[in-house]
Amino acid sequence: MPVKCGLCEKKAILKRPKTGDALCKDCFFWAFEEEVHKTIIDANLFSPGEVVAIGASGGKDSTVLAYTLKTLNERYDYKLDLILLSVDEGITGYRDDSLETVKRNQQQYELPLKIISYKELYGWTMDDIVKQVGLKNNCTFCGVFRRQALDRGAMLLKVDKIVTGHNADDIAETVIMNILRGDIARLKRCTAITTGADGALPRCKPFKYTYEKEIVMYAYFKKLDYFSTECIYSPNAYRGHARTYIKDLEAIRPSSIIDIIHSGECMAVKKEVKLPVQGTCSRCGYISSQEVCKACVLLEGLNKGLPKLGIGKPHKVKKLEAQGKIFTDTKNPKFVENRDADKGSMANNAAALDF
Ligand code: SF4
Ligand code: ZN
């Protein structure tokens, strides 16, 4: 006998990874969207009249985010102005193709689109950067530049907020990585649904509690147009291990992902641990928690033909500083951190600390 949907009388066609419920397609869509709506309302993510940029890569997470936010904005009359904001890193054979997907999404969802490129902002494409730095620290450059590029694009568009498609699996991975690195100070921030709320440009993660498997299911059953190829420069290292570990845990206990996020939220940060305070870079004027932002440090390294500046071990950075080869202070010499970038971008953070 066919299994019936747990919410209506129709035939169930899937088992929700998050709850194990058997559901029909329509009830799954409804449950998925309502959970995102509840997250938005509970965390008070938006106010009527806000202009919100959706960081759009053409991948499944940001495509489903754009579709869901548009749906909820209409269903619940959030009164948001939504804009797609894409970053072109200049990766031939990857980003050029995924941007074609974003351009189709723009037509399909009837949302404005702005594309901002590394080439126009920094004078370098990722293809150029990989030629110079190789495949070891490329994601450090890419992640730092992407983060700033999104900020710069959002400021150009005068938006009130940026939303990104980071999902529960991404956040659980970041929690595990911060624990493995002993970076407890960052735990609270990496689990926060909104960061930078006190600065000029808050960033929100409406998919904080949304499982990746359900995003894939939603995209599949809705027949959304998204790009699923991996970046050709993806190193698949450190984050990859955290990902495999969490997938193993999830197979035994599906709630592991949410449990890890809750643990990260609850872990106490010692009083004496100072969290970075958001200010602006004295060189480029964009958001930074250091006097000179990481993007400026990395860019100077590239332009001087010394691409390892800013990604080295603290004592080596100090030596270079003493030699006058770098200009930044080293209050926080681990320039490699980039908590919120794509999966690959954090993947080799550990490796990035080595010259
Ligand atoms: Fe950039 Fe992500 Fe590719 Fe690394 S994996 S080079 S961060 S797009
Ligand atoms: Zn700067």
Side-chain angles (χ1 to χ4, degrees), residues 13 25 29 63-64 67 105 108-109 215-226:
I13 57 148
K25 210 157 58 171
F29 293 153
T63 302
V64 174
Y67 181 89
N105 292 158
Q108 292 153 354
Y109 307 159
I215 293 173
V216 175
M217 271 185 176
Y218 188 91
Y220 173 78
F221 286 117
K222 281 272 181 193
K223 296 190 173 54
L224 298 186
D225 183 4
Y226 70 92

Side-chain angles (χ1 to χ4, degrees), residues 172-278:
E173 284 161 20
T174 310
V175 169
I176 293 294
M177 287 164 71
N178 280 334
I179 291 172
L180 294 178
R181 272 197 307 253
D183 199 347
I184 303 298
R186 304 270 175 179
L187 273 176
K188 268 229 152 83
R189 202 175 73 169
C190 80
T191 56
I193 191 159
T194 300
T195 51
D198 44 353
L201 207 46
R203 281 176 182 244
C204 312
K205 301 174 190 131
F207 281 170
K208 178 180 171 185
Y209 299 114
T210 308
Y211 280 28
E212 183 173 63
K213 279 182 185 162
E214 300 208 347
I215 293 173
V216 175
M217 271 185 176
Y218 188 91
Y220 173 78
F221 286 117
K222 281 272 181 193
K223 296 190 173 54
L224 298 186
D225 183 4
Y226 70 92
F227 184 81
S228 55
T229 306
E230 275 258 313
C231 171
I232 53 170
Y233 301 140
S234 173
N236 193 27
Y238 201 45
R239 183 173 283 269
H241 293 304
R243 169 162 285 248
T244 309
Y245 172 63
I246 291 171
K247 291 272 177 261
D248 288 347
L249 290 177
E250 193 195 1
I252 305 164
R253 185 178 145 95
S255 67
S256 296
I257 292 172
I258 295 295
D259 295 340
I260 291 168
I261 296 176
H262 284 156
S263 301
E265 286 169 338
C266 297
M267 273 190 215
V269 178
K270 284 190 216 147
K271 276 203 190 89
E272 61 269 27
V273 176
K274 283 200 185 112
L275 285 169
V277 180
Q278 227 178 47

Side-chain angles (χ1 to χ4, degrees), residues 144-165:
V144 169
F145 287 165
R146 184 187 305 104
R147 186 173 178 80
Q148 192 190 67
L150 267 184
D151 285 342
R152 290 171 70 164
M155 285 176 177
L156 206 75
L157 294 167
K158 297 190 169 52
V159 308
D160 299 296
K161 264 165 205 164
I162 301 175
V163 292
T164 57

